[in-house]
Structure formats: structure tokens, C-alpha cells
Amino acid sequence: MTLAPANKVSGADVSGVVVTAVAQGGVAADHGFQVGDVILDVGGKAVATPADVRKGLTDARTEGKHTVLFRVKSNDGTKFVALPIGNA
């Protein structure tokens, strides 16, 4: 998944991090992430940059978690997505 700050993406009028690309067949695609989705929170913490998303994933791994909860705004509204992170 490739990300960009929402304030750097034309047409994105919200805060958060915009999904700019998703690998077909990847974990993110399998869990419904699509180009144009806006990640608002990772693990209950607001995100504004791709680095914030990475930190949320790293923090979850450090805490021994195997999934992390994303709050995502899409064309269908705002939803929560539990994304498996494994040990990578």
C-alpha cells in the first residue's frame, strides 16, 4: 500500500493519509483498502503522514499485537478495518 498525506493530494478535503496505490492480492487489498481511501486513525491514534501509519504499525507489533485497527473513510462512509500485521 502506498500512502500520501491528505493535505498533499488534490481533491482530498480531510485530514489523514490517502491510499494512493494498493497491491492486488496483498493483505491490504484483501481487507478492502482501495485507492482514494483516507486512513484517519491507526490503533486509535490520529494519523497525518505515512510515517504516522508506520509508527502505529510498529507500536502494535512492539506491543505483541497481531492485528491493528484502522479507521478509514471511503466512498461508502467511515468504517473500521482490522488489518493483520503478523511479525513482519
PDB file of all heavy atoms in Angstrom, residues 8-9 17 31 37 45-46 55 57 59 66 68-69 72 74 77-79:
ATOM      1  N   LYS A   8      -1.706  16.784   0.836  1.00  0.00           N
ATOM      2  CA  LYS A   8      -0.843  16.857  -0.346  1.00  0.00           C
ATOM      3  C   LYS A   8      -1.509  16.241  -1.576  1.00  0.00           C
ATOM      4  O   LYS A   8      -0.921  16.198  -2.648  1.00  0.00           O
ATOM      5  CB  LYS A   8       0.482  16.119  -0.092  1.00  0.00           C
ATOM      6  CG  LYS A   8       1.275  16.637   1.074  1.00  0.00           C
ATOM      7  CD  LYS A   8       1.864  17.987   0.782  1.00  0.00           C
ATOM      8  CE  LYS A   8       2.756  18.414   1.940  1.00  0.00           C
ATOM      9  NZ  LYS A   8       3.154  19.799   1.854  1.00  0.00           N
ATOM     10  N   VAL A   9      -2.746  15.728  -1.419  1.00  0.00           N
ATOM     11  CA  VAL A   9      -3.445  15.057  -2.511  1.00  0.00           C
ATOM     12  C   VAL A   9      -4.568  15.945  -3.019  1.00  0.00           C
ATOM     13  O   VAL A   9      -5.435  16.364  -2.248  1.00  0.00           O
ATOM     14  CB  VAL A   9      -4.006  13.690  -2.055  1.00  0.00           C
ATOM     15  CG1 VAL A   9      -4.813  13.035  -3.165  1.00  0.00           C
ATOM     16  CG2 VAL A   9      -2.868  12.780  -1.611  1.00  0.00           C
ATOM     17  N   VAL A  17      -4.442  10.227   5.971  1.00  0.00           N
ATOM     18  CA  VAL A  17      -3.467   9.745   4.997  1.00  0.00           C
ATOM     19  C   VAL A  17      -4.222   9.027   3.884  1.00  0.00           C
ATOM     20  O   VAL A  17      -5.003   8.108   4.145  1.00  0.00           O
ATOM     21  CB  VAL A  17      -2.452   8.801   5.676  1.00  0.00           C
ATOM     22  CG1 VAL A  17      -1.443   8.277   4.668  1.00  0.00           C
ATOM     23  CG2 VAL A  17      -1.736   9.516   6.815  1.00  0.00           C
ATOM     24  N   HIS A  31      -8.370  -6.888   2.539  1.00  0.00           N
ATOM     25  CA  HIS A  31      -9.198  -6.342   3.621  1.00  0.00           C
ATOM     26  C   HIS A  31      -9.978  -5.103   3.194  1.00  0.00           C
ATOM     27  O   HIS A  31     -10.525  -4.386   4.026  1.00  0.00           O
ATOM     28  CB  HIS A  31      -8.340  -6.078   4.860  1.00  0.00           C
ATOM     29  CG  HIS A  31      -8.010  -7.336   5.573  1.00  0.00           C
ATOM     30  ND1 HIS A  31      -7.015  -8.187   5.168  1.00  0.00           N
ATOM     31  CD2 HIS A  31      -8.589  -7.927   6.640  1.00  0.00           C
ATOM     32  CE1 HIS A  31      -6.980  -9.233   5.956  1.00  0.00           C
ATOM     33  NE2 HIS A  31      -7.930  -9.105   6.873  1.00  0.00           N
ATOM     34  N   ASP A  37      -9.076   5.803  -0.490  1.00  0.00           N
ATOM     35  CA  ASP A  37      -9.464   5.701   0.919  1.00  0.00           C
ATOM     36  C   ASP A  37      -8.577   6.624   1.749  1.00  0.00           C
ATOM     37  O   ASP A  37      -7.413   6.851   1.413  1.00  0.00           O
ATOM     38  CB  ASP A  37      -9.296   4.268   1.436  1.00  0.00           C
ATOM     39  CG  ASP A  37     -10.354   3.309   0.925  1.00  0.00           C
ATOM     40  OD1 ASP A  37     -11.327   3.762   0.280  1.00  0.00           O
ATOM     41  OD2 ASP A  37     -10.199   2.102   1.180  1.00  0.00           O
ATOM     42  N   LYS A  45      -5.074   6.102  17.235  1.00  0.00           N
ATOM     43  CA  LYS A  45      -4.347   7.373  17.212  1.00  0.00           C
ATOM     44  C   LYS A  45      -4.491   8.010  15.831  1.00  0.00           C
ATOM     45  O   LYS A  45      -4.280   7.353  14.810  1.00  0.00           O
ATOM     46  CB  LYS A  45      -2.875   7.153  17.530  1.00  0.00           C
ATOM     47  CG  LYS A  45      -2.667   6.636  18.943  1.00  0.00           C
ATOM     48  CD  LYS A  45      -1.216   6.371  19.242  1.00  0.00           C
ATOM     49  CE  LYS A  45      -1.085   5.764  20.638  1.00  0.00           C
ATOM     50  NZ  LYS A  45       0.223   5.202  20.866  1.00  0.00           N
ATOM     51  N   ALA A  46      -4.828   9.295  15.806  1.00  0.00           N
ATOM     52  CA  ALA A  46      -4.980  10.023  14.550  1.00  0.00           C
ATOM     53  C   ALA A  46      -3.656  10.030  13.785  1.00  0.00           C
ATOM     54  O   ALA A  46      -2.581  10.102  14.389  1.00  0.00           O
ATOM     55  CB  ALA A  46      -5.435  11.449  14.825  1.00  0.00           C
ATOM     56  N   LYS A  55       4.396   4.193  12.245  1.00  0.00           N
ATOM     57  CA  LYS A  55       4.604   4.173  13.691  1.00  0.00           C
ATOM     58  C   LYS A  55       3.481   3.401  14.381  1.00  0.00           C
ATOM     59  O   LYS A  55       3.735   2.630  15.311  1.00  0.00           O
ATOM     60  CB  LYS A  55       4.683   5.593  14.249  1.00  0.00           C
ATOM     61  CG  LYS A  55       4.946   5.618  15.752  1.00  0.00           C
ATOM     62  CD  LYS A  55       5.136   7.003  16.280  1.00  0.00           C
ATOM     63  CE  LYS A  55       5.445   7.094  17.751  1.00  0.00           C
ATOM     64  NZ  LYS A  55       5.089   6.021  18.612  1.00  0.00           N
ATOM     65  N   LEU A  57       1.781   0.933  13.174  1.00  0.00           N
ATOM     66  CA  LEU A  57       2.020  -0.495  12.923  1.00  0.00           C
ATOM     67  C   LEU A  57       3.178  -1.008  13.782  1.00  0.00           C
ATOM     68  O   LEU A  57       3.088  -2.080  14.383  1.00  0.00           O
ATOM     69  CB  LEU A  57       2.323  -0.726  11.440  1.00  0.00           C
ATOM     70  CG  LEU A  57       1.156  -0.457  10.494  1.00  0.00           C
ATOM     71  CD1 LEU A  57       1.640  -0.484   9.053  1.00  0.00           C
ATOM     72  CD2 LEU A  57       0.042  -1.459  10.709  1.00  0.00           C
ATOM     73  N   ASP A  59       4.261   0.257  16.631  1.00  0.00           N
ATOM     74  CA  ASP A  59       3.826   0.229  18.031  1.00  0.00           C
ATOM     75  C   ASP A  59       2.997  -1.017  18.319  1.00  0.00           C
ATOM     76  O   ASP A  59       3.161  -1.664  19.358  1.00  0.00           O
ATOM     77  CB  ASP A  59       3.021   1.476  18.380  1.00  0.00           C
ATOM     78  CG  ASP A  59       3.869   2.737  18.440  1.00  0.00           C
ATOM     79  OD1 ASP A  59       5.114   2.640  18.403  1.00  0.00           O
ATOM     80  OD2 ASP A  59       3.268   3.838  18.502  1.00  0.00           O
ATOM     81  N   HIS A  66      -1.250  -8.808  16.832  1.00  0.00           N
ATOM     82  CA  HIS A  66      -1.198  -9.447  15.517  1.00  0.00           C
ATOM     83  C   HIS A  66      -2.127  -8.775  14.521  1.00  0.00           C
ATOM     84  O   HIS A  66      -2.093  -9.078  13.334  1.00  0.00           O
ATOM     85  CB  HIS A  66      -1.541 -10.933  15.630  1.00  0.00           C
ATOM     86  CG  HIS A  66      -0.562 -11.672  16.484  1.00  0.00           C
ATOM     87  ND1 HIS A  66       0.711 -11.976  16.055  1.00  0.00           N
ATOM     88  CD2 HIS A  66      -0.652 -12.116  17.758  1.00  0.00           C
ATOM     89  CE1 HIS A  66       1.355 -12.600  17.032  1.00  0.00           C
ATOM     90  NE2 HIS A  66       0.548 -12.691  18.077  1.00  0.00           N
ATOM     91  N   VAL A  68      -4.124  -4.699  13.775  1.00  0.00           N
ATOM     92  CA  VAL A  68      -4.245  -3.304  14.181  1.00  0.00           C
ATOM     93  C   VAL A  68      -5.518  -2.748  13.532  1.00  0.00           C
ATOM     94  O   VAL A  68      -5.857  -3.092  12.410  1.00  0.00           O
ATOM     95  CB  VAL A  68      -2.992  -2.482  13.813  1.00  0.00           C
ATOM     96  CG1 VAL A  68      -2.810  -2.347  12.320  1.00  0.00           C
ATOM     97  CG2 VAL A  68      -2.999  -1.128  14.485  1.00  0.00           C
ATOM     98  N   LEU A  69      -6.219  -1.910  14.292  1.00  0.00           N
ATOM     99  CA  LEU A  69      -7.484  -1.363  13.839  1.00  0.00           C
ATOM    100  C   LEU A  69      -7.257  -0.015  13.156  1.00  0.00           C
ATOM    101  O   LEU A  69      -6.645   0.883  13.728  1.00  0.00           O
ATOM    102  CB  LEU A  69      -8.438  -1.195  15.021  1.00  0.00           C
ATOM    103  CG  LEU A  69      -9.888  -0.907  14.696  1.00  0.00           C
ATOM    104  CD1 LEU A  69     -10.509  -2.072  13.919  1.00  0.00           C
ATOM    105  CD2 LEU A  69     -10.672  -0.676  15.977  1.00  0.00           C
ATOM    106  N   VAL A  72     -11.118   4.192   8.607  1.00  0.00           N
ATOM    107  CA  VAL A  72     -10.911   4.553   7.213  1.00  0.00           C
ATOM    108  C   VAL A  72     -12.160   5.223   6.651  1.00  0.00           C
ATOM    109  O   VAL A  72     -13.274   4.726   6.824  1.00  0.00           O
ATOM    110  CB  VAL A  72     -10.606   3.283   6.374  1.00  0.00           C
ATOM    111  CG1 VAL A  72     -10.370   3.639   4.920  1.00  0.00           C
ATOM    112  CG2 VAL A  72      -9.411   2.539   6.944  1.00  0.00           C
ATOM    113  N   SER A  74     -14.060   6.073   3.259  1.00  0.00           N
ATOM    114  CA  SER A  74     -14.107   5.677   1.858  1.00  0.00           C
ATOM    115  C   SER A  74     -15.373   6.234   1.233  1.00  0.00           C
ATOM    116  O   SER A  74     -16.146   6.940   1.899  1.00  0.00           O
ATOM    117  CB  SER A  74     -14.079   4.149   1.735  1.00  0.00           C
ATOM    118  OG  SER A  74     -15.282   3.602   2.233  1.00  0.00           O
ATOM    119  N   GLY A  77     -18.487   5.581   3.233  1.00  0.00           N
ATOM    120  CA  GLY A  77     -18.596   6.137   4.576  1.00  0.00           C
ATOM    121  C   GLY A  77     -17.364   5.796   5.390  1.00  0.00           C
ATOM    122  O   GLY A  77     -16.356   5.350   4.867  1.00  0.00           O
ATOM    123  N   THR A  78     -17.463   6.001   6.682  1.00  0.00           N
ATOM    124  CA  THR A  78     -16.345   5.699   7.575  1.00  0.00           C
ATOM    125  C   THR A  78     -16.542   4.317   8.171  1.00  0.00           C
ATOM    126  O   THR A  78     -17.640   3.959   8.579  1.00  0.00           O
ATOM    127  CB  THR A  78     -16.250   6.750   8.688  1.00  0.00           C
ATOM    128  OG1 THR A  78     -16.103   8.042   8.078  1.00  0.00           O
ATOM    129  CG2 THR A  78     -15.050   6.502   9.588  1.00  0.00           C
ATOM    130  N   LYS A  79     -15.465   3.537   8.187  1.00  0.00           N
ATOM    131  CA  LYS A  79     -15.523   2.163   8.682  1.00  0.00           C
ATOM    132  C   LYS A  79     -14.239   1.847   9.460  1.00  0.00           C
ATOM    133  O   LYS A  79     -13.266   2.580   9.386  1.00  0.00           O
ATOM    134  CB  LYS A  79     -15.697   1.189   7.521  1.00  0.00           C
ATOM    135  CG  LYS A  79     -14.550   1.238   6.517  1.00  0.00           C
ATOM    136  CD  LYS A  79     -14.817   0.379   5.304  1.00  0.00           C
ATOM    137  CE  LYS A  79     -13.697   0.578   4.268  1.00  0.00           C
ATOM    138  NZ  LYS A  79     -13.965  -0.148   3.047  1.00  0.00           N
TER     139      LYS A  79
END
